[in-house]
Every structure is written in structure tokens, then in C-alpha cells.
Amino acid sequence: VNCEVIVGYKSVYRMCFAMTCFFFFFSAIMVRVKSSKDPRAAIQNGFWFFKFLILVGITVGAFFIQDGTFHTVWFYFGVVGSFIFIIIQLILLIDFAHSWNKIWVGNAEEGNSKCWFAGLLLFTFLHYALALTAVVLFYVYYTQSDNCTEHKVFISLNLIFSVIISIISVLPKVQEAQPQSGLLQASIISLYTMYVTWSAMTNNPNRKCNPSLLALVSNVSLSESTPTNAPGQVQWWDAQSIVGLVIFLFCTLYASIRSSSNAQMNKLMQTEEGGGGYGGEGEAGKDGVHRAVDNEEEEVTYSYSFFHFHLCLASLYIMMTLTNWYQPDTTTQSMQSTMPAVWVKISSSWLGLGLYLWTLLAPLIFPDRDFS
């Protein structure tokens, strides 16, 4: 038995359990904090030594939790939390796609249109080429003629859905109601859909339908691959986990930058600016020295509760990514991926397509509302 693997996933679960509890606790106590005059606002903006002490205390305590059913139960908490966090990532990605197209089209209208439109065409073609290449590779390596029916359905459905949203995005009525819609956004969503499809298939416990990346690179035949249920055979850092963390970091960075300058993103992330200016700039006193001022006396600049809840979901998502969505097992058998992880990811891809389709059709269904 590979004891290091077993101890490793238990450590990840317990540390992420501590972070999740920490952020959820502060999310609960920060509900309905409206301004810095609320006594709870001081907890958000100070007491850092005690907050780190609480986090360390919860982490140490988590390692004293008896095994029992803890890991199995916490696995399902991670699945649900990760699903919600993936939805947030999808919304951020859709916003990124629309923003990208809007900025480049605006630049093209201001001048040097050939250059900007050529850039739009290049990236649109590149995204679709990568998505189509991914579909071909999926059929070659993740399906078999007499097996892997689920994978065939997943790949085919998402390919059809990607074609549908691409056609709808350029329909005259959609273009009239949503002038900023186009193939660039559809190509980005299609490529991300193929990534999520691949991520879902790599969690299939059936090794015949889920060859390891090492097996594909070294041209090892699937029949010679080691069965998934062999003791100690756990593939920790596969490609999809690394890509998942990269996308997580990108979405976190994008949300941080975007929410500071965009009203729609502020509403989405519950970070509306208050009436004051940015406290970081400060005001100059009589001695000419700039000092920080409290710009939240009337209204907080972001939702403290939602901020911590977002970090709570992020902790669960990181936990599942680091453990590659393996089903916990306290026996001497090795961990293995499970079908719930597959369905969570594939359903999130369908939800992402549905959300993007809604951004195209909503202006037609509700013509009196402003969707800019």
C-alpha cells in the first residue's frame, strides 16, 4: 500500500476543511454589514494576528478528527462546492469573452480596422481549430468501438451544442438585439467546453476509456495499462489538474481587475463601490503627508460576507483539484476517480453553454431591459 498517497490526500482534505470552516465562519458573521460603523467591520479589516491564530487552531484541530466517514462526507461537500465555484468561473469566462470582443471591435471602429479585425479573425479561427482538434483527439483516445458509450455521448452532444451557439451568435436578429455578440465569444466558450469535457472524461474510473497521459505520450497500449483499482496506482498531477489550477488563477486575477472598473462585474461579485473614494489614495493633511481615510463610513465597498463565501467555495475547489477528484477510501485500496465527479463537470459544461445562450437570447426575450 502506498501510505504516502493515503496520508497525502488526508492532509489536503483536512487543511482545506480548516480553510473552508474559517471562511464560512467569517461569511456568516459578516452578513448584512453595511458600513464601517458596524462593530463587525473592525473584524474584517483588523485583528490579523488573532485571525491567523484561529486558522492555525482549526487546522491543527482538523488533524485530530477521527477517520470514520469524515473523508467520504467531506468529499461530497467538495463536489457541491466545486460545482458552484465552476459556475462562477463560467460566468467570469462569459464576461471575459464579451469584454474582449467589445474592446477589440471598439478599437477597430476608432481606427486601423484591418489590424483589429484581423486579430479577431485569427483568434476566432485559433479557438475553433483547437476545439475541433480536441474533439478528434477525444474520439481517438477516449472512446472505443465497443465501449465508452458515455464519452461518445458527451463529446457528440457538446460538439453539437457548440455548433448551435455559434450559429445563433451570428443570426441577424441576435446581432440586432446584441450587437456585441459574435463568433469570438462562441469560439472561447466552445474551447472551454471541450476542456471541461476532457476534464470530465479524465475522472472516469474505467481505465479503458481513460488512458493516463503517460500512457498516451509513451504509446503504451490501453490493454497493457495498469488497472485503476491496483493498489498505490494514483496519478496525482495530471495535465487536467494543472490546467484547472491555471484557469482558477486566471479567473481570480480577472475578477480582481475587472471588478474594480466594471459596474456589471461589481453587481455580479457583490463589490459595488460606496459613496467614498478609494481609501488607499488617502488625503493630504496640513503637513502634506497622505494618510489613509475611511471610505466605508456610509457604505462598504464590497460585500464582506460574499467575499468570504467566495473564498470558502475556492477552498473546496482547490481541494478537489489537488486530489484530482478521487473518491476517498480509508481501506488499503488506492483512491480512484468516481462517476459523480464526471457528471458534476459535464453538467457544468452544459450549464455554461446555457448561460452563454441566455446572454444571446435575453435581449430578444426582454427587449425593454438594458443588457449592455
Side-chain angles (χ1 to χ4, degrees):
V1 179
N2 190 341
C3 297
E4 293 182 357
V5 169
I6 297 178
V7 174
Y9 94 86
K10 287 184 178 180
S11 299
V12 173
Y13 268 47
R14 290 166 191 268
M15 293 186 68
C16 290
F17 170 79
M19 287 194 297
T20 303
C21 292
F22 175 81
F23 290 125
F24 182 79
F25 170 73
F26 281 97
S27 175
I29 66 174
M30 293 295 170
V31 173
R32 300 185 66 82
V33 174
K34 299 297 184 180
S35 69
S36 61
K37 297 177 181 179
D38 192 309
R40 293 173 293 172
I43 301 176
Q44 168 71 12
N45 300 314
F47 298 98
W48 296 104
F49 173 78
F50 297 101
K51 286 192 284 190
F52 279 112
L53 192 64
I54 291 173
L55 178 58
V56 172
I58 298 175
T59 304
V60 173
F63 280 87
F64 287 92
I65 299 176
Q66 296 295 324
D67 287 348
T69 59
F70 168 75
H71 300 97
T72 302
V73 173
W74 194 239
F75 167 80
Y76 288 104
F77 271 92
V79 168
V80 175
S82 298
F83 178 75
I84 299 174
F85 188 79
I86 290 174
I87 294 175
I88 295 176
Q89 282 191 335
L90 289 167
I91 296 175
L92 292 173
L93 185 69
I94 292 173
D95 179 79
F96 168 74
H98 281 295
S99 300
W100 184 359
N101 186 78
K102 181 179 179 180
I103 293 173
W104 281 30
V105 170
N107 292 338
E109 293 175 352
E110 292 177 0
N112 199 7
S113 59
K114 291 184 179 180
C115 179
W116 289 108
F117 281 122
L120 287 172
L121 181 62
L122 174 63
F123 279 100
T124 300
F125 175 79
L126 178 63
H127 294 153
Y128 275 124
L130 291 174
L132 184 60
T133 302
V135 170
V136 174
L137 293 176
F138 293 163
Y139 277 118
V140 173
Y141 293 108
Y142 289 92
T143 64
Q144 292 186 354
S145 58
D146 57 346
N147 201 346
C148 312
T149 304
E150 298 93 342
H151 288 187
K152 296 175 183 176
V153 173
F154 295 158
I155 300 170
S156 301
L157 281 179
N158 282 349
L159 176 60
I160 294 173
F161 292 154
S162 297
V163 172
I164 291 175
I165 64 170
S166 298
I167 295 175
I168 293 178
S169 66
V170 294
L171 290 177
K173 289 187 177 180
V174 174
Q175 288 283 318
E176 182 180 352
Q178 183 68 281
Q180 300 300 332
S181 65
L183 289 178
L184 177 65
Q185 300 97 309
S187 66
I188 295 174
I189 301 302
S190 299
L191 181 59
Y192 183 79
T193 299
M194 294 309 157
Y195 156 71
V196 177
T197 305
W198 170 55
S199 181
M201 293 188 298
T202 57
N203 284 117
N204 192 331
N206 184 0
R207 183 57 69 186
K208 291 184 178 180
C209 301
N210 177 20
S212 66
L213 183 63
L214 180 61
L216 296 179
V217 173
S218 58
N219 294 322
V220 178
S221 64
L222 296 180
S223 60
E224 297 175 356
S225 298
T226 306
T228 303
N229 58 357
Q233 297 295 327
V234 178
Q235 183 183 349
W236 280 94
W237 284 100
D238 59 358
Q240 68 93 3
S241 295
I242 298 175
V243 175
L245 288 177
V246 171
I247 293 176
F248 159 74
L249 293 174
F250 165 78
C251 289
T252 302
L253 178 62
Y254 175 73
S256 301
I257 298 175
R258 180 74 166 156
S259 62
S260 64
S261 60
N262 182 267
Q264 295 296 330
M265 183 59 65
N266 288 335
K267 293 179 181 179
L268 167 65
M269 304 304 293
Q270 295 295 302
T271 58
E272 293 92 345
E273 289 294 336
Y278 290 98
E281 296 179 359
E283 293 182 352
K286 294 182 179 180
D287 55 359
V289 178
H290 285 264
R291 294 180 175 85
V293 296
D294 184 2
N295 66 323
E296 297 182 325
E297 291 184 351
E298 301 297 329
E299 183 182 3
V300 295
T301 57
Y302 63 96
S303 171
Y304 294 167
S305 179
F306 185 83
F307 169 76
H308 286 287
F309 181 69
H310 186 260
L311 293 178
C312 175
L313 296 177
S315 300
L316 294 172
Y317 177 78
I318 291 175
M319 179 185 76
M320 300 306 295
T321 303
L322 290 177
T323 58
N324 200 22
W325 297 71
Y326 284 124
Q327 173 68 54
D329 189 0
T330 55
T331 67
T332 56
Q333 297 178 355
S334 66
M335 294 177 294
Q336 61 180 5
S337 300
T338 57
M339 288 306 294
V342 176
W343 286 107
V344 164
K345 292 184 177 182
I346 203 66
S347 60
S348 70
S349 71
W350 296 334
L351 182 60
L353 291 166
L355 287 173
Y356 175 67
L357 183 62
W358 173 250
T359 64
L360 299 177
L361 300 181
L364 292 176
I365 300 175
F366 302 102
D368 297 330
R369 294 186 60 181
D370 181 17
F371 289 94
S372 59

